Amino acid sequence: DQQVKQNSPSLSVQEGRISILNCDYTNSMFDYFLWYKKYPAEGPTFLISISSIKDKNEDGRFTVFLNKSAKHLSLHIVPSQPGDSAVYFCAAIPSSNTGKLIFGQGTTLQVKP
Amino acid sequence: GAGVSQSPRYKVAKRGQDVALRCDPISGHVSLFWYQQALGQGPEFLTYFQNEAQLDKSGLPSDRFFAERPEGSVSTLKIQRTQQEDSAVYLCASSLGTGHYNEQFFGPGTRLTVL
């Protein structure tokens, strides 16, 4: 069973516009949520996180929103830049855990110049 | 500053062969994780080490998979009698602490292809 789901395999946006990547989860016991970015032939790199006790976290052009009642989180990138083109993974950490990450399937973002 | 390194970067094995994948974590990092990423999917947890102790191996898909970290630094993931479904990218990640949340730094992965 997929505990973390990213239902959009791909997203294409114009440079300068907002990119919104979505993620849904099924487990209420997740403590933290993270977004990772991955370029081809590289490992994922951490982008931004949010604790389950918050509903928003902002870091520069990146903002993550958490809606616990809907079990939904989203990543907003504004303004989008061509260098943001990558695969984005949503991940979660269960509360009773050593820190292992449970990933979604990923969304490929293409930002067109 | 060295990040997490993995070797080999690419490995082609014939079905039935044994393979060994190496991970060099960031120096001083206590925690080490292995993940398996199938094509078009997100990484899936395999196993976790705190120093040399393997504290969680719940994600290992079968007893053909074995991981070790004997001195609490370098780790090796061994797959015996490889099968086609083992084809995937194997990612290693390390983190500084042992607490509930510490940022994991990933290596570039080893792409294993089983023919």
Side-chain angles (χ1 to χ4, degrees):
Chain A
D1 61 333
Q2 190 78 25
Q3 296 187 63
V4 178
K5 299 180 182 180
Q6 294 175 257
N7 292 317
S8 298
S10 63
L11 174 68
S12 182
V13 301
Q14 207 67 33
E15 180 179 7
R17 305 297 291 269
I18 185 171
S19 296
I20 300 176
L21 297 102
N22 293 302
C23 178
D24 297 294
Y25 61 96
T26 58
N27 189 340
S28 300
M29 298 305 291
F30 288 139
D31 249 8
Y32 274 91
F33 300 90
L34 309 91
W35 286 93
Y36 275 79
K37 176 180 179 180
K38 186 182 184 301
Y39 293 117
E42 296 182 11
T45 55
F46 170 75
L47 195 56
I48 191 169
S49 66
I50 187 167
S51 166
S52 61
I53 63 173
K54 297 189 175 181
D55 55 18
K56 178 182 176 181
N57 187 27
E58 189 173 354
D59 183 2
R61 297 185 297 115
F62 303 92
T63 303
V64 56
F65 295 92
L66 175 62
N67 182 336
K68 286 189 291 294
S69 61
K71 293 190 176 67
H72 178 84
L73 68 157
S74 60
L75 174 68
H76 292 209
I77 307 173
V78 56
S80 301
Q81 300 173 353
D84 296 330
S85 297
V87 179
Y88 289 78
F89 291 101
C90 170
I93 301 179
S95 57
S96 58
N97 204 274
T98 52
K100 75 180 182 186
L101 297 170
I102 299 177
F103 285 90
Q105 307 96 309
T107 297
T108 300
L109 173 65
Q110 182 185 27
V111 181
K112 297 179 179 179
Chain B
V4 178
S5 61
Q6 293 185 246
S7 61
R9 291 294 311 275
Y10 303 90
K11 177 68 178 178
V12 178
K14 291 183 179 179
R15 189 174 49 169
Q17 282 185 333
D18 298 347
V19 298
L21 312 180
R22 178 187 169 110
C23 172
D24 285 80
I26 294 172
S27 178
H29 276 198
V30 169
S31 297
L32 186 144
F33 301 81
W34 283 98
Y35 295 86
Q36 179 191 57
Q37 185 179 13
L39 188 64
Q41 301 296 316
E44 290 193 5
F45 170 79
L46 293 177
T47 188
Y48 163 69
F49 289 87
Q50 181 179 316
N51 295 307
E52 69 279 4
Q54 189 175 20
L55 299 185
D56 187 346
K57 53 182 181 179
S58 62
L60 296 177
S62 76
D63 58 8
R64 296 186 296 104
F65 287 71
F66 173 77
E68 60 183 3
R69 193 186 186 199
E71 297 179 357
S73 178
V74 171
S75 177
T76 304
L77 176 66
K78 298 179 179 178
I79 308 173
Q80 297 178 323
R81 305 181 303 280
T82 53
Q83 300 178 5
Q84 285 188 321
E85 60 262 33
D86 300 334
S87 296
V89 175
Y90 290 85
L91 294 163
C92 175
S94 69
S95 65
L96 182 60
T98 62
H100 179 69
Y101 172 65
N102 281 271
E103 181 181 340
Q104 293 182 31
F105 296 85
F106 282 82
T110 294
R111 180 176 295 278
L112 172 65
T113 303
V114 182
L115 303 177

